[in-house]
Amino acid sequence: MLDDYLKHVLSFIDTSVIKPFKFVGNAISATYAFRLPPLVKKLGLDLIPLNFVPDGTFPKGPPDPMLLRIALKPRD
């Protein structure tokens, strides 16, 4: 299923125009921790993972990227 997901996501991306870069990805202890690393690898990017241990109690807050307080919360 993950392969199908990656194939679908990559179908929207022109990978020839992506230049390698390093970025911090915050999975907020949610399931995206499983999906982002394979995508990053296929794109040749350098991921600095933050909160990539899945935890259904969401100790860092709800997994809602629209909440600004989550995006701005400092790293432990």
Side-chain angles (χ1 to χ4, degrees), residues 8-41:
H8 177 71
V9 170
L10 289 169
S11 73
F12 295 98
I13 300 171
D14 180 358
T15 58
S16 69
V17 299
I18 296 178
K19 295 185 177 14
F21 63 91
K22 183 184 283 193
F23 69 101
V24 175
N26 187 350
I28 313 173
S29 303
T31 59
Y32 205 65
F34 297 116
R35 294 179 291 194
L36 188 58
L39 180 61
V40 167
K41 184 176 180 180

Side-chain angles (χ1 to χ4, degrees), residues 1 23 25 27 32 34 39 45 50 53 55 63 66 69:
M1 191 158 78
F23 69 101
Y32 205 65
F34 297 116
L39 180 61
L45 305 178
L50 179 63
V53 176
D55 183 339
M66 300 305 291
R69 67 180 179 82

